[in-house]
Amino acid sequence: MTYSQITQSAPVVLVEFYATWCPHCRRMMPVVEEVKELLSDRAEVVQLDIDQNDSAANAAGVESVPTFIVYAGGEERWRHSGEIEGEVLLSKVEGYV
């Protein structure tokens, strides 16, 4: 699946770019899992390891990890790099659901 296909795989898609060696990314893992559960069938949550998905990271213009991007209707609507509170991340995604 191409990055473009991922961003259009649902009406609202949250993409997280992370790296297994990144301490900030590791701290965000349980937060993202909780957000994923809370969104359940309302939005797609996709996690991409930049070391295994470098072409997708390049296509998205990712310069640091973790980077969160919300797509609605296949268009980028919001982006954040670095750690973020789960409630804030959830509310940003829910704003497009």
Side-chain angles (χ1 to χ4, degrees):
M1 185 177 279
T2 67
Y3 187 66
S4 178
Q5 290 170 320
I6 289 170
T7 63
Q8 297 175 35
S9 63
V12 177
V13 181
L14 168 63
V15 179
E16 177 199 16
F17 286 95
Y18 72 95
T20 56
W21 46 262
C22 166
H24 303 287
C25 300
R26 287 196 299 269
R27 282 195 290 275
M28 288 304 301
M29 283 296 174
V31 174
V32 174
E33 283 304 313
E34 183 179 356
V35 167
K36 190 175 189 175
E37 286 177 25
L38 292 169
L39 289 169
S40 59
D41 60 346
R42 296 182 292 144
E44 187 74 26
V45 178
V46 178
Q47 295 172 282
L48 297 173
D49 184 330
I50 61 166
D51 293 325
Q52 297 174 7
N53 298 280
D54 60 328
S55 62
N58 289 334
V62 173
E63 296 179 359
S64 63
V65 287
T67 292
F68 301 92
I69 307 173
V70 175
Y71 292 89
E75 298 291 321
E76 181 177 328
R77 303 294 185 184
W78 178 83
R79 177 184 292 240
H80 175 83
S81 293
E83 292 184 47
I84 186 171
E85 292 290 326
E87 298 83 23
V88 175
L89 182 59
L90 180 62
S91 71
K92 292 295 182 184
V93 178
E94 286 181 328
Y96 296 100
V97 174

